[in-house]
């Protein structure tokens, strides 16, 4: 909700696309349902033109592939 309101100050899209060992370890703290919600939310944002980063919004985002990695 904070992200939709513009109050989440971290770039979740960038973080999720550019997974590092550190971010993978952070996502590993989530259970399967939480991971699905994060992936679904990012797919929703992508499908509805809500990706704020212009570079990311112009490239094919494969959140599903990265979701299977976390």
């Amino acid at each position: 909700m904070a992200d939709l309101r513009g109050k989440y100050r971290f770039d979740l899209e960038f973080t999720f696309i550019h997974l590092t060992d550190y971010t993978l370890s952070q996502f590993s703290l989530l259970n399967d349902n939480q991971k699905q919600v994060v992936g679904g939310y990012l797919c929703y944002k992508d499908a509805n033109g809500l990706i704020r980063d212009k570079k990311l919004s112009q490239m094919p985002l494969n959140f599903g592939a990265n979701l299977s990695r976390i």
Side-chain angles (χ1 to χ4, degrees):
M1 296 306 299
D3 185 57
L4 287 173
R5 292 182 182 133
K7 296 184 180 201
Y8 185 72
R9 304 200 189 280
F10 301 95
D11 192 347
L12 185 58
E13 297 95 1
F14 182 88
T15 300
F16 197 73
I17 291 169
H18 300 90
L19 292 175
T20 64
D21 289 340
Y22 175 74
T23 56
L24 284 170
S25 71
Q26 295 296 83
F27 280 117
S28 74
L29 300 173
L30 302 176
N31 66 38
D32 288 340
N33 290 336
Q34 292 168 321
K35 291 175 188 177
Q36 289 296 322
V37 168
V38 170
Y41 173 65
L42 292 172
C43 289
Y44 166 83
K45 286 186 71 170
D46 187 31
N48 290 282
L50 299 173
I51 303 294
R52 288 190 266 277
D53 185 317
K54 298 296 183 205
K55 289 180 184 175
L56 291 180
S57 66
Q58 295 172 358
M59 61 189 277
L61 304 177
N62 195 354
F63 293 122
N66 278 350
L67 183 61
S68 67
R69 292 180 59 201
I70 60 172

